[in-house]
Amino acid sequence: RAKAAGRGRWATFDEAMREEAMRILDLEADLRRAINGEGFVAFYQPIVRLSDRRVVGHEALLRWQQAGGELLSPSSFIGVGENSSLIEEVDWLVYAQVADRIAHTQGGYISVNVSPRHFRDSAFADRLLRLLDKAKADPRRLRIEITEVALLEEAPRVLNMLKHLRGHGVLAQLDDFGTGFSALSYLHRFPIECLKIDQSFIAGLGSETRVESEAVVRAIQALAGSLGIHTVAEGIENVHQQRVVRELGCTLGQGYLYGRPLPELVSVIEEVETLAG
Ligand code: C2E
Ligand code: MG
Ligand code: MG
Ligand code: MG
């Protein structure tokens, strides 16, 4: 009987695995169709200077438009893409759209997310520069957002790539800072223009973890100061968080308080809530 029950469990487990595998295959096929069609769109979220809320740039964020009009965020499909090379292909669609935007607009920078996978491709930097060149986009208006994982993986190669890009005006920012390994000892070796403080710490500023979150933001701020670089506070949703990050010395901010990701760039932030709040 025990054996039968055991077999039963395995059968259910197999079934679940099979379903999961099918789901992933379906999703991959959908992704593949979307890559060949026009399903992937870059949305843009404003980044503001905290002292006066002037828009200094935007972050390009991927959205997958479903036939029914629904928009999917990366979290619902990027896991699949990250494990195949699909995410790289999707990224190139985003970069092409961003290059076009840069060429056809004036003003601030647009930052794009670069998956660590790209750093395994030694031609990445040149391909990106060629794309900008072909689109007649000023490389100084493009920034790349990378995570700390990228710095740990093949550090010498990444260092060369970042230097190469920087030589052409493309600056690099460290995304989701504070959540990774924070390889502080060799951070100074990389040409990093700014640290984007992970939104979990900003969210924590108004909760029970207020003290800890403030301590983390303060520490990141001190680190940035010693490196001579600036910071972007991510995920600012209310004026309380805005006030705290300003007091702690963050230079730039991004979050729903200033605007959600939209298909268009914005030049002015409407008075959402009073600054004094
Ligand atoms: P990220 O680069 O850290 O981007 C910030 C995320 O925070 C975005 O989620 C943005 O919509 C969200 N966000 C912004 N302000 C607020 C706020 O005030 N409150 C809250 N709760 N969230 C806020 P999104 O667009 O879902 O993207 C999630 C992640 O997916 C990104 O995190 C990035 O790692 C990745 N991603 C997005 N677009 C691309 C892309 O084109 N290529 C690659 N490789 N990854 C991408
Ligand atoms: Mg980002
Ligand atoms: Mg981020
Ligand atoms: Mg994030």
Side-chain angles (χ1 to χ4, degrees), residues 82-100:
E82 288 279 2
N83 296 323
S84 66
S85 57
L86 284 173
I87 187 60
E88 286 164 78
E89 291 184 51
V90 179
D91 276 349
W92 284 109
L93 295 177
V94 171
Y95 304 160
Q97 291 179 24
V98 168
D100 251 21

Side-chain angles (χ1 to χ4, degrees), residues 226-246:
S226 74
L227 293 169
I229 62 181
H230 66 105
T231 52
V232 179
E234 292 196 276
I236 301 178
E237 294 185 350
N238 57 54
V239 286
H240 169 71
Q241 293 163 345
Q242 172 181 255
R243 179 155 26 89
V244 178
V245 297
R246 282 180 67 180

Side-chain angles (χ1 to χ4, degrees), residues 175-176 198-199 234:
D175 204 358
D176 303 338
D198 190 67
Q199 58 187 55
E234 292 196 276

Side-chain angles (χ1 to χ4, degrees), residues 56-69:
V56 296
H58 288 81
E59 176 174 6
L61 293 159
L62 174 64
R63 293 295 178 265
W64 183 5
Q65 236 152 5
Q66 303 296 288

